[in-house]
Amino acid sequence: MALCWCCSPRCLLLFFLLSAVPVAYLISLELAAPTTHVYHYHSAGWFRECAKWDDLNRRFLVSFMDGGIGQIPVPDDHTPGAVLEELPLVKHVDLAKNASLGFVIDRPRNRLLVATADVMGNRYSALAAYDLSTWNRLFLTQLSGPSDPKAFADDVAVDSEGNAYVTDCTGSFIWKVGVDGKFLSTIKSPLFTPKEWYKAIVGLNGIVYHPDGYLIVIHTFSGNLFKIDISNGDEVKQIKVIEGSLKFGDGLELLSPTQIVVAGNPSGRLVESTDGWETASVVGKFSGPKHRLATAATVKDGKVYLNHMVAMGYPKKKHAIVEAVFSA
């Protein structure tokens, strides 16, 4: 009898009504007027993990979850509200089925460094480097493969000498790759592994290089923030967050020697340190589009913008890069 009832028109009607509730909620969120400036752009894909502003070329660069890099040119006479268009720059057959994830613009060497990974199986991780002018690939350094423990290259930072540091969010360690693409070492620490198993599901994630010679990296599920002194034997210290929480933090952006932005959930948090990142506090928060998921932060013309991973709309997929205005 229950099976027959569930196949009845009344059950089907109930199913469609219940399904319509979240759909209607998403539509209402999408149609709501934004509280800050937004760059919308049409794209060929549903998911864009990272976006960074390339000030010299007046464009946003974005990474494709299905592999590749694109650009969103922003003309000087851009009309607020006008939808921009994504143009593909990089799409390599030999990296098919691997996602392009976090990346960093290495301006002194005119190149882009991109973390690449097998999202579904965690059986491949690599670091790719591209010339920012020609988009020729400079090197591709494999970091893990099918015979290695599962790994997931997620984000990358570059130091003053051109060495790259790639986070593994599965095993919670960092690969170091030299300026020429040669794998150099790994940075590991017991501090990277929280005691609770469920806090280790998503580990080390966003990473930035501080001009004073150390790295700052976030552990997503625990919210722990770490300082890695690469000029002192890769010494690892946990930064004591004395006010606020950084749980579910994702991409990082260094605003100044004393401030970073953490993208994630909630959309953005402004974090400040006055003692050389021995301690830190959340001094501001921003709540953007709740249905799109903020994954990376960047700075354009002195303003912070958050990349949101998920597109909305059909058949044209529309992404959003949202200005973050922080409040205490």
Side-chain angles (χ1 to χ4, degrees), residues 109-159:
R109 282 157 282 273
N110 193 45
R111 61 182 187 165
L112 192 77
L113 299 170
V114 186
T116 300
D118 167 20
V119 172
M120 301 305 295
N122 297 172
R123 308 310 300 178
Y124 179 83
S125 288
L127 176 68
Y130 300 97
D131 185 285
L132 276 170
S133 300
T134 65
W135 291 102
N136 292 331
R137 192 163 68 191
L138 304 175
F139 63 76
L140 177 66
T141 303
Q142 182 171 327
L143 302 172
S144 71
S147 61
D148 298 312
K150 287 188 175 184
F152 190 107
D154 198 359
D155 199 9
V156 58
V158 62
D159 68 19

Side-chain angles (χ1 to χ4, degrees), residues 209-227:
Y209 172 72
H210 192 283
D212 288 343
Y214 50 85
L215 304 168
I216 298 173
V217 61
I218 193 165
H219 187 285
T220 292
F221 266 36
S222 70
N224 292 335
L225 200 63
F226 299 100
K227 175 182 178 180

Side-chain angles (χ1 to χ4, degrees), residues 61-313:
L61 298 175
V62 293
S63 58
F64 302 168
M65 285 287 284
D66 55 345
I69 298 293
Q71 66 174 351
I72 301 101
V74 181
D76 292 337
D77 59 352
H78 173 65
T79 302
V83 180
L84 301 167
E85 296 294 329
E86 174 190 276
L87 304 172
L89 292 170
V90 171
K91 194 79 172 179
H92 285 298
V93 175
D94 60 343
L95 288 176
K97 300 183 179 180
N98 291 294
S100 298
L101 300 163
F103 63 84
V104 62
I105 296 173
D106 183 9
R107 185 67 67 196
R109 282 157 282 273
N110 193 45
R111 61 182 187 165
L112 192 77
L113 299 170
V114 186
T116 300
D118 167 20
V119 172
M120 301 305 295
N122 297 172
R123 308 310 300 178
Y124 179 83
S125 288
L127 176 68
Y130 300 97
D131 185 285
L132 276 170
S133 300
T134 65
W135 291 102
N136 292 331
R137 192 163 68 191
L138 304 175
F139 63 76
L140 177 66
T141 303
Q142 182 171 327
L143 302 172
S144 71
S147 61
D148 298 312
K150 287 188 175 184
F152 190 107
D154 198 359
D155 199 9
V156 58
V158 62
D159 68 19
S160 58
E161 297 179 355
N163 299 307
Y165 301 85
V166 183
T167 54
D168 170 24
C169 72
T170 297
S172 283
F173 62 86
I174 298 168
W175 291 283
K176 181 178 180 179
V177 178
V179 65
D180 59 353
K182 180 181 179 181
F183 169 75
L184 297 178
S185 62
T186 56
I187 301 173
K188 298 182 178 182
S189 171
L191 293 176
F192 292 155
T193 305
K195 294 179 181 179
E196 302 89 343
W197 67 267
Y198 54 89
K199 290 184 179 180
I201 295 174
V202 181
L204 296 186
N205 198 331
I207 187 170
V208 291
Y209 172 72
H210 192 283
D212 288 343
Y214 50 85
L215 304 168
I216 298 173
V217 61
I218 193 165
H219 187 285
T220 292
F221 266 36
S222 70
N224 292 335
L225 200 63
F226 299 100
K227 175 182 178 180
I228 304 167
D229 190 347
I230 57 177
S231 62
N232 186 29
D234 297 333
E235 178 188 35
V236 178
K237 292 182 179 180
Q238 183 172 338
I239 299 169
K240 185 177 181 181
V241 181
I242 57 179
E243 186 174 341
S245 170
L246 296 179
K247 286 183 178 178
F248 306 114
D250 195 340
L252 303 182
E253 180 76 4
L254 187 71
L255 296 188
S256 73
T258 61
Q259 290 187 326
I260 62 172
V261 171
V262 180
N265 182 23
S267 298
R269 282 160 282 189
L270 180 63
V271 184
E272 186 174 72
S273 175
T274 58
D275 57 6
W277 295 98
E278 297 296 315
T279 64
S281 298
V282 177
V283 296
K285 295 181 181 179
F286 170 73
S287 182
K290 297 178 176 62
H291 58 301
R292 283 184 176 265
L293 188 60
T295 53
T298 190
V299 176
K300 177 186 181 295
D301 302 331
K303 298 178 180 180
V304 175
Y305 284 85
L306 301 178
N307 173 72
H308 287 74
M309 184 171 69
V310 183
M312 299 291 288

Side-chain angles (χ1 to χ4, degrees), residues 26-57:
L26 289 175
I27 292 174
S28 68
L29 290 175
E30 183 65 14
L31 294 178
T35 59
T36 63
H37 180 250
V38 180
Y39 286 105
H40 284 114
Y41 66 94
H42 286 138
S43 167
W46 288 109
F47 303 105
R48 296 294 179 256
E49 168 69 10
C50 185
K52 296 292 182 182
W53 175 246
D54 177 6
D55 57 330
L56 290 186
N57 297 292

